[in-house]
Amino acid sequence: MPRPRSPLLSVDAIVSTALSLVDAFGDFSFPKVAKELGVSQSALYNYIENREHIIELMRGRVFSSRPLLDTENLSWEDALRTLAHGYRTCLLEHPRLVPLLVTQTVRDLGVMGIYEDMAIVLGKAGLAASAVVPAITTVDYLVLGSALELTAPEVVWSPPSGQFPALSAAIANLGPPAKRSEAAFAFAVEMLLAGLRQGVKMDF
Amino acid sequence: MPRPRSPLLSVDAIVSTALSLVDAFGDFSFPKVAKELGVSQSALYNYIENREHIIELMRGRVFSSRPLLDTENLSWEDALRTLAHGYRTCLLEHPRLVPLLVTQTVRDLGVMGIYEDMAIVLGKAGLAASAVVPAITTVDYLVLGSALELTAPEVVWSPPSGQFPALSAAIANLGPPAKRSEAAFAFAVEMLLAGLRQGVKMDF
DNA sequence: ACCTGAACACCGTTCAAGT
DNA sequence: ACCTGAACACCGTTCAAGT
């Protein structure tokens, strides 16, 4: 095949295809991305370095829709709440991406900006400097964990009949996964805010 | 090769080998487990059903060291704190197992027992029934996220020089990963406890 | 510059065949 | 009952070769 007049591929096209595969099947592979784009497997390496690179590009894509925060006109509480929920919202349409994200260091600068925003907000909250990273880390855990929950086809715990009465009772009348995940996340964020509000000081 | 007098394999041996591979390399494979045990790859299927099964057995193994909780003589706060930290402690020596765990539904009964204990404790705390699962879910996120952090060779965020001043400042003088993860987890658990104590009520 | 095709070293799972 | 070996359908990555 001769070299095409305009390239058949692009980084964007590769990332889009990989992301749609992740959304649909929970994973992607070079053969599948190549097939989808009607191109040979090795052609992908003209645009990306390796599998990790594609994943990092997907991370950037998903969080590029991050809404700009008006840090000035908000109380630190409202700012942090908005940041946390906005962060999570970006993942809502791509929850199956999370397992691929959690094993890789964050390099995307857009995502780094979210952390920077949180650091600023927490500083304004008067949180001890040594507690800023723990607090950000906590939000991170909550966002990723919450999104991860949307991945499971069923509930994460499926206690067998009879045993585990307290757990079974608590699970009994739960809403659909989306609502449940949202509720758990909102709950956790409010817990965090309440804790910060109370000015819990610990010696790290 | 004739059938050996006593079996060359056992579920326990397979799980131990897989777990040590995960600890060392962050993953395991059938060829590697088989090689380690001096056996052919397909022989493993006489003891386990598939890859998922091995992972679930590793989950059970890791959490089998769970300390029994004296629920009676503790305040709900101390009980929940102890449960959460004990839960996390089980993962401390096998943090690289976490990525394999988070994509699979929990079937192991021992692990289910931890959730049951938490449900009981939270009921005693007087938490609204509808908030029990969100609270347990929160602990779950925190434990897995905290353990996951021990996986990364470096810090999860590595902000480039110059940009992200607030984040860089917060990261500046952090302890070693183990201490940092411990601190973030302890922080988050205390936040949760403080929130529960305050009796934050939300309508889920 | 951009793509193909073959090659390599890996995977998980099945199954006939041996004792 | 317990294991081997071959087979199958997959992976990620490299590299010579084409235009």
Side-chain angles (χ1 to χ4, degrees):
Chain A
M1 175 188 274
R3 173 154 76 96
R5 310 161 157 264
S6 70
L8 297 173
L9 285 177
S10 70
V11 173
D12 254 28
I14 293 172
V15 174
S16 297
T17 305
L19 190 53
S20 70
L21 283 169
V22 168
D23 290 340
F25 307 109
D27 205 356
F28 77 97
S29 74
F30 282 80
K32 282 172 186 162
V33 170
K35 188 165 205 174
E36 196 89 12
L37 292 169
V39 104
S40 121
Q41 202 178 149
S42 50
L44 301 175
Y45 287 89
N46 287 309
Y47 297 86
I48 51 90
E49 294 174 18
N50 48 36
R51 186 181 158 89
E52 268 195 27
H53 189 195
I54 297 189
I55 293 174
E56 202 54 22
L57 289 169
M58 286 194 279
R59 192 202 301 269
R61 166 76 64 83
V62 164
F63 289 110
S64 64
S65 64
R66 169 173 75 109
L68 287 182
L69 183 65
D70 182 6
T71 321
E72 310 303 320
N73 299 335
L74 290 177
S75 69
W76 67 264
E77 276 194 50
D78 287 340
L80 185 56
R81 187 181 357 249
T82 305
L83 269 173
H85 282 271
Y87 185 14
R88 176 175 178 273
T89 302
C90 291
L91 277 175
L92 277 189
E93 286 173 357
H94 311 282
R96 307 186 80 172
L97 181 60
V98 175
L100 305 184
L101 296 182
V102 293
T103 45
Q104 248 176 237
T105 305
V106 177
R107 287 182 220 282
D108 183 82
L109 296 188
V111 176
M112 210 84 79
I114 302 180
Y115 297 132
E116 172 72 6
D117 285 351
M118 288 198 277
I120 292 172
V121 166
L122 290 169
K124 277 176 62 179
L127 196 67
S130 60
V132 168
V133 168
I136 294 179
T137 304
T138 300
V139 173
D140 216 32
Y141 297 167
L142 297 178
V143 168
L144 296 175
S146 162
L148 208 52
E149 205 183 1
L150 296 172
T151 286
E154 302 278 324
V155 90
V156 179
W157 326 297
S158 55
S161 59
Q163 308 167 271
F164 313 107
L167 187 59
S168 301
I171 289 178
N173 37 7
L174 285 177
K179 278 221 163 25
R180 197 167 61 233
S181 167
E182 166 71 35
F185 182 74
F187 176 87
V189 169
E190 295 310 315
M191 292 296 102
L192 178 62
L193 289 174
L196 293 175
R197 206 160 35 219
Q198 257 205 347
V200 173
K201 307 291 185 196
M202 303 186 55
D203 48 339
F204 296 115
Chain B
M1 174 189 274
R3 173 155 76 97
R5 310 163 155 262
S6 70
L8 297 174
L9 285 177
S10 70
V11 172
D12 254 29
I14 292 172
V15 173
S16 297
T17 305
L19 191 53
S20 70
L21 284 169
V22 168
D23 289 340
F25 307 108
D27 205 358
F28 78 101
S29 73
F30 282 80
K32 283 171 186 161
V33 171
K35 189 165 205 173
E36 196 90 10
L37 291 168
V39 103
S40 122
Q41 201 177 150
S42 51
L44 301 176
Y45 287 89
N46 287 309
Y47 296 85
I48 51 89
E49 296 174 17
N50 47 36
R51 188 180 157 89
E52 269 196 26
H53 189 195
I54 296 189
I55 294 174
E56 202 55 23
L57 290 168
M58 286 194 279
R59 193 202 300 271
R61 166 76 64 86
V62 164
F63 289 110
S64 65
S65 64
R66 170 173 74 108
L68 287 182
L69 182 65
D70 183 6
T71 321
E72 310 303 320
N73 299 337
L74 291 176
S75 68
W76 67 264
E77 276 192 49
D78 287 340
L80 186 57
R81 184 175 7 244
T82 305
L83 270 173
H85 282 271
Y87 184 15
R88 175 174 178 276
T89 302
C90 292
L91 278 175
L92 277 189
E93 286 172 359
H94 310 282
R96 306 186 81 173
L97 180 61
V98 175
L100 306 184
L101 295 182
V102 292
T103 45
Q104 249 175 236
T105 304
V106 177
R107 288 182 218 285
D108 183 81
L109 297 188
V111 177
M112 209 85 78
I114 301 180
Y115 296 133
E116 172 72 8
D117 285 350
M118 287 198 278
I120 292 172
V121 166
L122 290 169
K124 275 175 65 178
L127 196 67
S130 59
V132 169
V133 168
I136 294 179
T137 304
T138 300
V139 173
D140 217 31
Y141 297 167
L142 297 178
V143 168
L144 297 175
S146 162
L148 208 52
E149 206 184 0
L150 296 173
T151 287
E154 301 278 324
V155 92
V156 178
W157 327 297
S158 56
S161 60
Q163 308 167 271
F164 313 108
L167 188 59
S168 300
I171 290 180
N173 38 6
L174 285 176
K179 278 220 161 25
R180 198 167 59 233
S181 165
E182 167 70 34
F185 182 74
F187 176 85
V189 168
E190 295 310 315
M191 292 295 102
L192 178 62
L193 289 174
L196 293 175
R197 205 160 35 220
Q198 258 205 345
V200 174
K201 305 293 186 193
M202 303 185 57
D203 47 341
F204 296 114

